[in-house]
Amino acid sequence: MKSVIERGLLAGTAMLWSMAAGAQTAPAPQPDPAQAQTPPAAAADNSGQLGDIIITAQRREQSLQTVPISVAAFSAANIKALSAESIGDLDNFTPGLTINDTSVTQPSFTIRGVSTDDFGIGTDPSVGIFIDGIYSGRSGSSLIFFNDINRVEVLKGPQGTLFGRNTSAGAISIITNKPSPEPEMTATAQFGNYAKTKLDVMGNVPITDTLYLRVDGVINRRNGYLKDAVTHDDRERENSTSGRIALRWAPSANTDFVLAYDHDDTNKDGPAAIGISAFALSKDPFGPFANDVIGNKETRILNGVSLTATQHMGAFTLTSISSFKHFETHNREDEDGTNDPTRYLDTENAERNSSLYQEIRLGYESDRISAIAGASYYHERGRQQSIVTALTDSVNRLISDATGGQFPIFSILDSVGLPVFGNTFQETMSNRAANDSYAVFGDATFKVTPKLSLTAGIRYTHDLKKFSWFNGPYSAPGLDAIKAPGALYNAILGVPAFPDDVLFSASDFFGATIGPNGLIFDEGALEGVQFTRRASFSDVSPRFVVQYDATPDVHLYASASRGYKAGGFNSVQVNSFFEPEKVWNFEGGIKSELFDRHVRFNLSGYYFKYSNRQALSLENTGGAVPQYITLSGDSEAYGLDLDTQFVISRDFSMTGTAGLIDSKWVKRTEQGIDISGQPTGEPVFRGILGLHYKHDTGNGTIFGDASYSYTSRQRLNDAARAINAFIAIPAAAGGAGVDLSKIDRLWAPRNIVNAKIGWRSPGERYSIALFAENLLNEKYLRTLNTITADTFHTPYVRRDQPGFYGIELGLKF
């Protein structure tokens, strides 16, 4: 079935292309219009007015001001002003967007309080990431480093009609620069604290009048900003190399092909676990800490190839996007935040993923009608291993605690001379996923009058999923190598469990006494069995928009749109299944430019209702260690988005953006607690103030940018309070003894300032700048993890990045 559909899509593309190309005799090629647009969002153009911002939020080029969607757009200049290296650096400066990028290969994305927080291959994200229109379905490939970026668009609210499945919370669209007819070369070097070194080089070469080559690469190195108090090793070091090669053939002004290859090689430290329990080096998350994790590394090898073809045929535009992407990631991290071997636990996530994406769409533009129709196909094959490693020392504590101190198995073996301590004990859950998604879509805007427009769109999606779990026996090679006669084991047990004169391993003894299924993933009758489950889902996602242009500079709109996220399976819970997630979003707003385009004022209000919203929760499922399981519930939210920009003078401008949201669960049980009607955890407010200055001195341009971000305190519900109360139980009473006052910066309001000041020579041939991220060096905590709070009483936190400062040198010719 798959091969027939793939051949059909490819054949259809070729047929349409040959018909379209054969109908055209066009003039000489022109530069791509996307290359010359998106000035800094608040900067004045040569006339002293606000510059226009061109985006593709509706799959066609339009001014930001005429698009009836709440969009945060970042141009290349905006990104440089913030010294952002990935989309993870933009969230503090985007109301409604939160990105947890403590793990590059397992990030989580949240838009308007709805998150993508499951890294398992059995489920899908709620926030879709698109790179040059190509869907990046897995978190392992979604957090890319910025290479020669043209712009980033954050689309808030469900985008199911135009962007497709798994955009129920919103979409992030990243657009790179295409090869162009003009020769160009740029090089930027950054040097900063923590031995920061970053080199970004781009070269654009016209090979012929119609063939252009563009190559860019980024090398990024940095020492860790945390130091292990015991080993004195740096933690949170960066080491990545990424690049892109794009070849563009434009035989005419109406025909365009871009063939691109992307590569990323990341090899960095896994995220550090900062212990806060009574058993850590310090209960203070900003005090000394130690991690004893074995092989603490996070790696990614990513390769992608894409072909984008565009044919203009008068009022019609035919576009085909084809891509293949493969990545392999590995992440191993400490889960106890101590260097105590009797409390040791680490987890690994190893993933291999290949995906194929094909989209064909036909656009139409006339004075009264703008329309688009198309079809897409997404095929994915993934393998994942969730690996948990303990030491025999920590397994001994686990069993001793479970038996009330009656049977500390490895202490007993050690007492008779067997060197059992210090060996690893490992369990692995292996998964395979095979997913196929097909969709057809259409969207049209009709001008009823010169001022009134109506839009209607619809997408039909069909998903096929096949998922398997396999949990084999535990692995303990060190115990396998330790041999003793059966008589010794019989004396310990007091029963003739083994033949007296035969040598048996310590692992045999452990399995005979505790059971062969292990301690972490005990699947009972399904232990050692490849279990497979299939599911299919279908969805229809419409959208409706009414837009009224009160004046050429004032636009009013109201919309209703539906989003869809496919159902799926929990990677570490055999035979688990959850239904699709669906959302209706209702929104209205105004986009305006006032005072001869010296002021931009955009305001939108929204309400959405989610059904069967999926979210991870760390729950006690009966095993030795709690597991992340997917729980469903219904939620709703009311909110406002504000975007203002002011041109004060030709040299000076300001931006002010803000987001206000009240997000609550309508129906939800977590940690065994009914939290219906309580907050989902999203802070109520985020506001950003930006100041932008540039002045031409005749001998170059002096420029400066400063951005201040404020995020209000995180809202807690009863489930979160119960977790806090649990980890605060004193160690003497069997708890973790966490001092909650020490971790208040996990939930506290956040104040972040980024700044850059510098000089560019005439023609921007040379530039020099000083930059700062988190200028005030504010210290915040990112996440609280309680995976070992039940068993070893060792919860931990992860710290946010400190202040980064440095110098940037640029060359352009």
Side-chain angles (χ1 to χ4, degrees):
M1 178 70 173
K2 174 179 72 69
S3 60
V4 172
I5 293 172
E6 289 177 357
R7 289 198 300 268
L9 282 169
L10 294 173
T13 304
M15 181 182 70
L16 287 169
W17 215 259
S18 63
M19 292 171 60
Q24 296 298 309
T25 56
Q30 300 295 322
D32 179 21
Q35 302 306 304
Q37 56 81 41
T38 58
D45 62 19
N46 292 332
S47 66
Q49 298 176 323
L50 285 165
D52 200 9
I53 302 173
I54 304 300
I55 62 173
T56 52
Q58 296 192 120
R59 295 294 198 178
R60 58 186 184 273
E61 291 183 352
Q62 295 175 284
S63 169
L64 172 68
Q65 292 303 102
T66 64
V67 174
I69 300 172
S70 181
V71 181
F74 292 87
S75 70
N78 301 144
I79 293 169
K80 289 193 68 173
L82 292 170
S83 300
E85 296 181 353
S86 74
I87 53 177
D89 297 322
L90 297 180
D91 67 336
N92 281 321
F93 302 95
T94 309
L97 174 67
T98 301
I99 301 174
N100 179 6
D101 61 348
T102 54
S103 169
V104 170
T105 63
Q106 295 175 286
S108 65
F109 301 87
T110 302
I111 292 181
R112 289 180 172 175
V114 179
S115 62
T116 298
D117 57 3
D118 191 346
F119 51 82
I121 63 174
T123 188
D124 293 294
S126 302
V127 177
I129 309 297
F130 295 82
I131 303 168
D132 290 331
I134 299 165
Y135 177 59
S136 294
R138 289 289 152 219
S139 62
S141 64
S142 60
L143 193 74
I144 66 164
F145 297 103
F146 286 152
N147 290 1
D148 197 21
I149 296 297
N150 183 269
R151 66 186 183 275
V152 175
E153 302 169 10
V154 180
L155 285 61
K156 303 174 186 179
Q159 306 298 322
T161 304
L162 289 171
F163 281 83
R165 62 200 286 272
N166 307 330
T167 57
S168 53
I172 299 174
S173 179
I174 301 170
I175 294 90
T176 64
N177 286 314
K178 293 181 181 180
S180 67
E182 299 299 323
E184 182 184 6
M185 181 174 179
T186 62
T188 303
Q190 286 187 348
F191 306 95
N193 56 339
Y194 303 103
K196 170 74 171 186
T197 305
K198 180 184 176 185
L199 179 63
D200 188 336
V201 178
M202 185 281 296
N204 186 92
V205 180
I207 300 173
T208 70
D209 289 343
T210 60
L211 188 65
Y212 327 120
L213 177 69
R214 195 176 186 97
V215 180
D216 66 83
V218 176
I219 299 174
N220 183 43
R221 305 287 186 268
R222 194 197 68 208
N223 289 343
Y225 56 83
L226 298 174
K227 189 173 288 291
D228 190 301
V230 174
T231 66
H232 306 293
D233 291 336
D234 280 353
R235 300 287 186 184
E236 301 288 354
R237 291 169 292 189
E238 285 186 352
N239 181 357
S240 64
T241 303
S242 57
R244 177 180 174 86
I245 301 174
L247 185 66
R248 180 184 180 193
W249 181 46
S252 74
N254 292 321
T255 305
D256 192 274
F257 296 87
V258 178
L259 177 65
Y261 166 70
D262 293 277
H263 174 75
D264 177 80
D265 184 350
T266 297
N267 186 349
K268 62 183 290 291
D269 290 339
I274 312 298
I276 52 173
S277 70
F279 310 102
L281 289 187
S282 171
K283 296 169 69 172
D284 185 345
F286 301 103
F289 81 99
N291 284 180
D292 54 359
V293 60
I294 302 167
N296 176 225
K297 283 291 183 183
E298 184 173 17
T299 64
R300 174 175 64 192
I301 297 291
L302 184 150
N303 293 287
V305 179
S306 64
L307 174 63
T308 302
T310 306
Q311 179 68 49
H312 299 286
M313 303 169 290
F316 292 91
T317 300
L318 179 64
T319 303
S320 171
I321 301 175
S322 309
S323 79
F324 174 79
K325 183 176 294 185
H326 177 80
F327 69 84
E328 297 183 15
T329 63
H330 186 271
N331 180 27
R332 187 169 188 175
E333 55 194 54
D334 189 90
E335 296 288 6
D336 59 271
T338 76
N339 64 335
D340 181 355
T342 72
R343 301 178 190 276
Y344 183 94
L345 191 80
D346 77 55
T347 61
E348 293 178 71
N349 181 72
E351 185 176 348
R352 297 179 60 189
N353 184 284
S354 297
S355 62
L356 173 71
Y357 184 72
Q358 174 65 55
E359 181 175 305
I360 304 171
R361 61 178 184 258
L362 182 66
Y364 173 79
E365 291 282 345
S366 70
D367 291 340
R368 300 192 66 180
I369 297 176
S370 296
I372 188 170
S376 67
Y377 169 62
Y378 179 73
H379 168 73
E380 176 189 28
R381 292 289 184 272
R383 294 187 179 185
Q384 183 178 35
Q385 287 185 311
S386 300
I387 307 165
V388 180
T389 302
L391 294 178
T392 44
D393 311 63
S394 52
V395 171
N396 189 67
R397 173 182 290 278
L398 195 65
I399 296 173
S400 178
D401 289 348
T403 60
Q406 297 301 306
F407 197 62
I409 186 169
F410 294 116
S411 292
I412 296 172
L413 294 177
D414 179 71
S415 70
V416 295
L418 298 182
V420 291
F421 283 120
N423 291 290
T424 59
F425 177 90
Q426 192 171 88
E427 296 184 32
T428 302
M429 178 72 78
S430 299
N431 306 115
R432 292 191 178 190
N435 303 322
D436 293 277
S437 180
Y438 314 84
V440 291
F441 59 93
D443 189 84
T445 299
F446 175 67
K447 277 187 170 295
V448 181
T449 71
K451 292 188 174 184
L452 178 64
S453 300
L454 301 179
T455 299
I458 193 167
R459 177 183 290 257
Y460 171 77
T461 305
H462 184 64
D463 286 298
L464 299 173
K465 290 193 172 188
K466 178 182 176 183
F467 193 80
S468 68
W469 299 262
F470 179 78
N471 182 47
Y474 65 84
S475 172
L479 296 181
D480 291 338
I482 299 171
K483 304 288 186 178
L488 177 65
Y489 298 123
N490 292 335
I492 294 172
L493 293 173
V495 294
F498 301 90
D500 284 348
D501 298 331
V502 180
L503 291 178
F504 292 92
S505 70
S507 184
D508 291 329
F509 177 75
F510 177 83
T513 55
I514 301 302
N517 291 358
L519 299 171
I520 311 299
F521 305 114
D522 187 350
E523 302 300 334
L526 293 177
E527 191 79 16
V529 176
Q530 184 88 15
F531 187 86
T532 301
R533 185 164 181 173
R534 294 173 174 82
S536 64
F537 313 96
S538 296
D539 176 76
V540 176
S541 293
R543 80 165 184 147
F544 307 97
V545 182
V546 178
Q547 186 167 350
Y548 182 74
D549 301 328
T551 73
D553 293 323
V554 177
H555 311 277
L556 306 171
Y557 71 91
S559 67
S561 57
R562 189 174 185 272
Y564 156 74
K565 171 181 170 180
F569 317 93
N570 188 308
S571 297
V572 295
Q573 191 179 8
V574 175
N575 199 23
S576 61
F577 174 77
F578 44 86
E579 296 287 347
E581 174 179 307
K582 299 177 182 180
V583 57
W584 270 105
N585 183 78
F586 304 93
E587 188 162 334
I590 179 173
K591 293 191 174 184
S592 61
E593 290 179 331
L594 310 172
F595 306 107
D596 193 26
R597 296 189 66 185
H598 282 69
V599 174
R600 182 171 290 153
F601 179 87
N602 298 340
L603 178 67
S604 64
Y606 61 88
Y607 166 77
F608 65 71
K609 175 68 177 294
Y610 268 84
S611 298
N612 202 40
R613 175 177 159 184
Q614 305 152 16
L616 280 183
S617 180
L618 188 64
E619 302 277 340
N620 193 330
T621 59
V625 175
Q627 301 296 327
Y628 287 104
I629 66 173
T630 303
L631 298 178
S632 297
D634 297 339
S635 71
E636 65 178 2
Y638 300 84
L640 293 172
D641 282 329
L642 173 68
D643 178 9
T644 60
Q645 301 173 20
F646 307 88
V647 175
I648 309 301
S649 69
R650 190 180 297 273
D651 294 341
F652 182 55
S653 59
M654 297 176 57
T655 60
T657 58
L660 189 68
I661 185 171
D662 180 14
S663 177
K664 293 183 178 180
W665 290 107
V666 176
K667 183 176 66 175
R668 170 81 166 180
T669 299
E670 193 173 318
Q671 306 295 325
I673 299 171
D674 184 355
I675 54 173
S676 302
Q678 298 186 28
T680 62
E682 186 72 2
V684 169
F685 178 78
R686 176 176 293 160
I688 297 98
L689 176 65
L691 305 177
H692 315 280
Y693 176 80
K694 65 175 183 179
H695 178 68
D696 187 355
T697 65
N699 294 313
T701 301
I702 298 172
F703 65 91
D705 294 277
S707 297
Y708 165 66
S709 169
Y710 170 79
T711 304
S712 63
R713 188 176 184 84
Q714 183 179 333
R715 303 173 71 191
L716 301 182
N717 54 44
D718 286 348
R721 294 187 188 97
I723 292 173
N724 292 343
F726 173 72
I727 64 175
I729 295 173
V738 173
D739 184 349
L740 294 180
S741 68
K742 297 288 187 181
I743 61 172
D744 184 67
R745 299 224 93 188
L746 180 67
W747 310 289
R750 294 171 181 259
N751 297 274
I752 300 293
V753 177
N754 282 17
K756 178 177 280 190
I757 184 170
W759 171 84
R760 299 187 188 98
S761 68
E764 301 187 3
R765 176 67 61 88
Y766 309 104
S767 65
I768 184 171
L770 301 176
F771 68 89
E773 301 172 61
N774 188 9
L775 175 65
L776 304 180
N777 197 28
E778 294 282 358
K779 296 180 179 180
Y780 296 109
L781 304 177
R782 175 68 74 166
T783 58
L784 169 67
N785 194 297
T786 58
I787 190 171
T788 55
D790 268 341
T791 50
F792 299 126
H793 313 293
T794 50
Y796 65 86
V797 295
R798 298 203 200 282
R799 283 177 54 175
D800 252 342
Q801 295 184 349
F804 292 141
Y805 320 99
I807 186 171
E808 179 181 284
L809 307 175
L811 176 66
K812 179 180 180 180
F813 58 88

